[in-house]
Amino acid sequence: MPELPEMETYRRLLHEQICGAVITSTAVQREKTINLPPAQFGQLLQNNRLTLIERRGKHLLFHLQSGHVLLLHLMLGGFLYLGTAEDKLARTAQVTVFLGERVLYFHGLRLGYLHLLTPDQIDEKLAPLGPEPLNPEFTLTHFEKLLEEKRGVLKTAMVDQHWIAGIGNCYSDEICFHARILPTRRIPELTAPERATLYHSMQEVLAEAIRFGGYMEQPLYRTDELTGGFDERCQVYDRGGEPCLRCGQPIVKDELSSRKVFFCTHCQQ
């Protein structure tokens, strides 16, 4: 599932490529992906200009000149492709948005959604989300206060979008590996130095993942050389049984609350 770095990569690239463009038409292949009848959805989008593209947690927000906002959550398996009517992938797009000659294809939205909402509806929808971990206001002191509220397992807390927004399976494991802390540790057991280390690892890992374009394999557009660059830099995620890049011991793959979890029992404590 795309996480904060993947969605932030999309936001930055889409801002460069299509911010300011006018939506000329839409096509909906799967009605359950949107929240309005396709005809109404298309009517409200047609001739509307994209004025701003934002990210909140794992969501993308496409702000429109009309004041409406397209809220995207890719969930599991979703991804975007920006091309033309001829330059497209050999698979069905659940929603297609035409921007003149450019076309934005929304793929894999069997579980995800693209909803057209008012500003008030957006505020209500996103209100339960926790703080953004890379926001300058999210300080070590703030993080320590959040930790005091939790009594469960570290990984379970880190993927809770109501606690901190944007971190999922991949980056929770990568952050814990960077901090040399087992993701299976219980939060009350963490020492003050470990909590500080965890905070700084969160900042470093997420910033690096954004810098290298996240781990998504599919480029956003044909000449996109950024998206997916972090995939080969993952230290533990999806590397079960492979040697740890830090100590050489096998990476452990386990399951925690129905989620995959990867760690090194030699490097992490």
Side-chain angles (χ1 to χ4, degrees):
M1 179 185 293
E3 303 178 33
L4 186 158
E6 289 69 49
M7 301 310 288
E8 180 63 19
T9 298
Y10 274 154
R11 186 200 68 78
R12 294 182 181 190
L13 294 178
L14 289 170
H15 177 81
E16 295 172 359
Q17 295 289 324
I18 62 172
C19 195
V22 174
I23 298 173
T24 51
S25 64
T26 59
V28 178
Q29 184 72 21
R30 184 176 185 272
E31 293 187 23
K32 290 183 178 180
T33 298
I34 60 176
N35 63 322
L36 298 171
Q40 184 183 3
F41 184 81
Q43 184 178 24
L44 289 171
L45 288 180
Q46 190 169 16
N47 299 321
N48 225 324
R49 186 179 301 275
L50 289 170
T51 59
L52 177 68
I53 302 173
E54 290 186 309
R55 180 194 56 76
R56 179 71 172 99
K58 300 178 183 181
H59 301 78
L60 275 191
L61 291 81
F62 297 85
H63 291 263
L64 303 171
Q65 193 171 29
S66 65
H68 285 87
V69 182
L70 274 172
L71 181 66
L72 172 68
H73 197 314
L74 292 174
M75 297 295 283
L76 185 65
F79 67 96
L80 304 178
Y81 187 74
L82 179 64
T84 64
E86 294 75 30
D87 173 24
K88 58 183 180 180
L89 304 180
R91 56 181 295 174
T92 301
Q94 281 66 57
V95 180
T96 305
V97 175
F98 296 87
L99 306 152
E101 295 183 357
R102 310 292 296 277
V103 184
L104 184 57
Y105 298 94
F106 295 81
H107 289 286
L109 296 186
R110 298 296 176 185
L111 298 175
Y113 56 82
L114 183 67
H115 287 178
L116 185 61
L117 303 172
T118 65
D120 287 344
Q121 289 173 323
I122 286 288
D123 290 343
E124 182 180 358
K125 180 76 173 179
L126 301 183
L129 293 179
E132 290 284 330
L134 294 181
N135 191 313
E137 297 178 358
F138 186 70
T139 62
L140 173 58
T141 300
H142 190 176
F143 181 58
E144 289 173 331
K145 288 180 180 178
L146 288 181
L147 287 170
E148 289 300 324
E149 301 169 1
K150 285 288 186 178
R151 292 292 179 267
V153 174
L154 181 56
K155 166 135 183 162
T156 304
M158 292 183 72
V159 300
D160 179 358
Q161 300 305 295
H162 298 147
W163 193 58
I164 296 177
I167 298 173
N169 274 346
C170 174
Y171 295 104
S172 56
D173 290 350
E174 292 296 310
I175 290 165
C176 287
F177 180 78
H178 189 279
R180 296 177 180 264
I181 298 171
L182 285 168
T184 53
R185 290 273 300 278
R186 299 193 67 81
I187 290 176
E189 299 172 357
L190 299 177
T191 66
E194 286 176 327
R195 295 177 182 216
T197 298
L198 189 64
Y199 171 80
H200 293 298
S201 291
M202 185 186 305
Q203 306 294 304
E204 291 185 37
V205 169
L206 293 177
E208 181 185 10
I210 292 170
R211 188 165 67 252
F212 286 95
Y215 67 81
M216 294 281 284
E217 295 180 358
Q218 174 64 50
L220 176 60
Y221 46 86
R222 186 176 293 276
T223 58
D224 172 17
E225 297 182 354
L226 175 63
T227 302
F230 188 74
D231 186 50
E232 62 183 17
R233 303 179 72 88
C234 285
Q235 302 292 295
V236 289
Y237 185 71
D238 257 353
R239 296 192 59 241
E242 298 179 24
C244 172
L245 298 176
R246 196 157 54 195
C247 73
Q249 296 297 310
I251 298 295
V252 174
K253 175 185 177 181
D254 206 343
E255 191 170 293
L256 182 65
S257 300
S258 300
R259 293 178 180 269
K260 294 187 296 185
V261 58
F262 299 88
F263 51 88
C264 174
T265 55
H266 186 261
C267 283
Q268 296 169 258
Q269 298 180 354

